[in-house]
């Protein structure tokens, strides 16, 4: 096997695995962990929603 053939063989396995959804989830989880660590009490549902970027839907009758 020539050096070029060896380089080609290694190149086909030289891939970067990236899952943007997974990276986003890791970031959200990290933000929650940091906020929980910095808080003296439990995080309220409103604080958790804010950290996660959740926009609550109004309830019927509100």
């Amino acid at each position: 096997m020539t050096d070029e053939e060896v380089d080609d063989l290694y190149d086909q396995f030289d891939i970067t695995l990236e899952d943007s959804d997974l990276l986003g989830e890791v970031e959200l989880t990290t933000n929650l962990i940091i906020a929980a660590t910095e808080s003296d009490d439990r995080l309220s549902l409103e604080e958790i929603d804010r950290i996660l970027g959740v926009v609550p839907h109004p309830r019927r009758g509100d």
Side-chain angles (χ1 to χ4, degrees):
M1 196 176 260
T2 68
D3 287 341
E4 186 176 316
E5 289 172 328
V6 171
D7 287 342
D8 288 342
L9 178 65
Y10 289 118
D11 284 346
Q12 66 181 322
F13 296 110
D14 185 21
I15 59 171
T16 301
L17 297 177
E18 185 175 305
D19 182 334
S20 60
D21 291 336
L22 177 60
L23 291 174
E25 290 180 23
V26 168
E27 182 179 0
L28 291 173
T29 303
T30 301
N31 292 341
L32 279 174
I33 292 169
I34 291 169
T37 302
E38 293 176 346
S39 178
D40 292 332
D41 293 322
R42 290 182 174 190
L43 296 175
S44 68
L45 292 178
E46 291 78 17
E47 289 172 307
I48 293 170
D49 285 347
R50 182 185 52 77
I51 292 165
L52 296 177
V54 174
V55 178
H57 295 283
R59 295 180 187 169
R60 290 181 185 209
D62 284 351

